[in-house]
Amino acid sequence: MKIKLGQVNPSFPMPVALVGALVDGKPNFLTVAWFTMMCYQPPTLGVVLGADHYTNTGIRENKVFSLCLPGEDLVRATDYVGIVSGQNTDKSKLFELFQGDTGAPLIVQCPICVECELVGVEKNQRGEMFIGRIVQVHADESVLADGRIDLGKVRPLLFSHADSSYYKLGAKYEKAWSIGKGYK
């Protein structure tokens, strides 16, 4: 039997990322779990940030941002980045940084880093969705299998808003666009 829960966020676990931008010329990062692919071609993604976040200013100023996916080993630093504001704390000192093609700050310790050019901003009731065209994806060689990203090797953090907890990714289960062919 189903139980009605009302208007709650079912909060399906989502991958965690560190959004990076230069704010007043200094690298800054913000922890998020609300980002998604917006378009396959050209590859475009959207990331939702609260309207009052310090990082938003840098994204607007520079028209670029990064999305760095931390592995399980960065859980403590990732959580800390989400607790403190860049207005008061230099969070970039937690990481070794590098620059790619756009100038957005990228994190060496994150196995996957994505550089984006800002193509639009959509406001909602409490925040903003920054829409970015993917310019470049940087991946540690150690997380690749046959030239593609292997999430099992990345070991990304997942976040569940329902219980405010981080989770680990489970094992690969079945091949998409394949397992269902048995129904034909």
Side-chain angles (χ1 to χ4, degrees):
M1 178 164 119
K2 302 276 189 220
I3 305 295
K4 292 182 180 181
L5 299 177
Q7 289 184 318
V8 300
N9 183 343
S11 190
F12 307 107
M14 301 181 77
V16 175
L18 298 165
V19 175
L22 293 175
V23 183
D24 296 326
K26 296 187 325 191
N28 187 64
F29 295 93
L30 167 71
T31 304
V32 300
W34 291 341
F35 65 94
T36 187
M37 291 303 301
M38 301 287 290
C39 186
Y40 181 72
Q41 203 56 264
T44 307
L45 58 80
V47 59
V48 178
L49 303 179
D52 60 343
H53 285 295
Y54 183 67
T55 305
N56 299 21
T57 304
I59 296 173
R60 287 180 187 285
E61 280 177 11
N62 301 292
K63 308 282 190 255
V64 296
F65 63 94
S66 64
L67 198 72
C68 301
L69 279 76
E72 296 169 4
D73 58 327
L74 287 179
V75 66
R76 180 170 283 171
T78 298
D79 192 59
Y80 178 75
V81 167
I83 293 171
V84 298
S85 171
Q87 286 182 311
N88 309 315
T89 305
D90 183 357
K91 297 184 269 185
S92 70
K93 291 184 178 189
L94 296 168
F95 309 108
E96 183 181 344
L97 305 182
F98 72 102
Q99 277 194 341
D101 301 334
T102 65
L106 302 162
I107 300 172
V108 170
Q109 293 92 329
C110 289
I112 307 294
C113 295
V114 181
E115 293 182 83
C116 295
E117 288 180 344
L118 184 65
V119 296
V121 181
E122 296 290 329
K123 293 185 183 274
N124 65 26
Q125 293 170 336
R126 298 188 64 197
E128 302 171 302
M129 176 182 276
F130 291 92
I131 302 167
R133 182 182 62 82
I134 296 174
V135 173
Q136 188 61 261
V137 176
H138 304 266
D140 288 350
E141 194 173 353
S142 64
V143 301
L144 300 179
D146 299 321
R148 294 185 170 179
I149 296 169
D150 181 331
L151 289 179
K153 293 179 178 181
V154 173
R155 297 176 37 225
L157 291 173
L158 302 178
F159 176 75
S160 171
H161 195 275
D163 63 357
S164 299
S165 295
Y166 297 107
Y167 286 82
K168 297 178 181 182
L169 181 69
K172 188 186 304 186
Y173 183 53
E174 291 290 348
K175 188 75 175 148
W177 300 296
S178 178
I179 186 69
K181 290 180 181 177
Y183 280 106
K184 290 186 177 182

